[in-house]
Amino acid sequence: MQGFRVGRQLFELQSGVNDLQNQIASREYALRENAEQMAAAQAAIISDGTPSDQRAALVLKVAELAQQQGVLQAQIDELQRNLAVRQVDLARLRESVAYNH
């Protein structure tokens, strides 16, 4: 029964690590997409062919994208902290299992 419990703990911790890694990758992808959109909007703002009313809308879009970048980066930072803790927990459990066997 003890082996089952330990196996279950290992599985849950590894699943948690995998889930956090996937969440980080997803947020990093969104951050790259956001940066590309921001670069395109900034280029359009300085383009001679962009009408002034569109420029005003693009400035607002850039501000919104910048805010989203901040939120995404904060989420990534938090997820990375959680991942580090989870990885330490997993490593400790693996060490204790190896030590006991």
Side-chain angles (χ1 to χ4, degrees), residues 52-68:
S52 60
D53 61 326
Q54 279 186 339
R55 283 183 194 184
L58 287 167
V59 167
L60 293 175
K61 181 176 181 174
V62 167
E64 179 183 311
L65 289 167
Q67 181 181 13
Q68 289 174 1

Side-chain angles (χ1 to χ4, degrees), residues 66-101:
Q67 181 181 13
Q68 289 174 1
Q69 276 188 347
V71 169
L72 286 167
Q73 189 59 59
Q75 290 173 345
I76 290 168
D77 293 345
E78 179 67 21
L79 288 166
Q80 287 174 333
R81 283 190 293 275
N82 292 341
L83 176 61
V85 169
R86 190 69 62 110
Q87 287 174 323
V88 167
D89 292 344
L90 179 59
R92 285 182 180 157
L93 182 58
R94 284 183 175 154
E95 287 174 13
S96 75
V97 169
Y99 179 73
N100 291 328
H101 285 67

Side-chain angles (χ1 to χ4, degrees), residues 5-45:
R5 247 191 319 263
V6 171
R8 181 77 181 160
Q9 286 177 307
L10 283 169
F11 174 78
E12 288 175 359
L13 284 171
Q14 185 63 59
S15 293
V17 165
N18 294 345
D19 181 55
L20 287 166
Q21 289 172 331
N22 289 336
Q23 288 182 53
I24 290 168
S26 175
R27 299 297 193 301
E28 288 173 340
Y29 177 80
L31 194 59
R32 285 190 302 275
E33 290 289 311
N34 180 293
E36 289 175 12
Q37 291 177 12
M38 184 179 287
Q42 289 170 331
I45 288 170

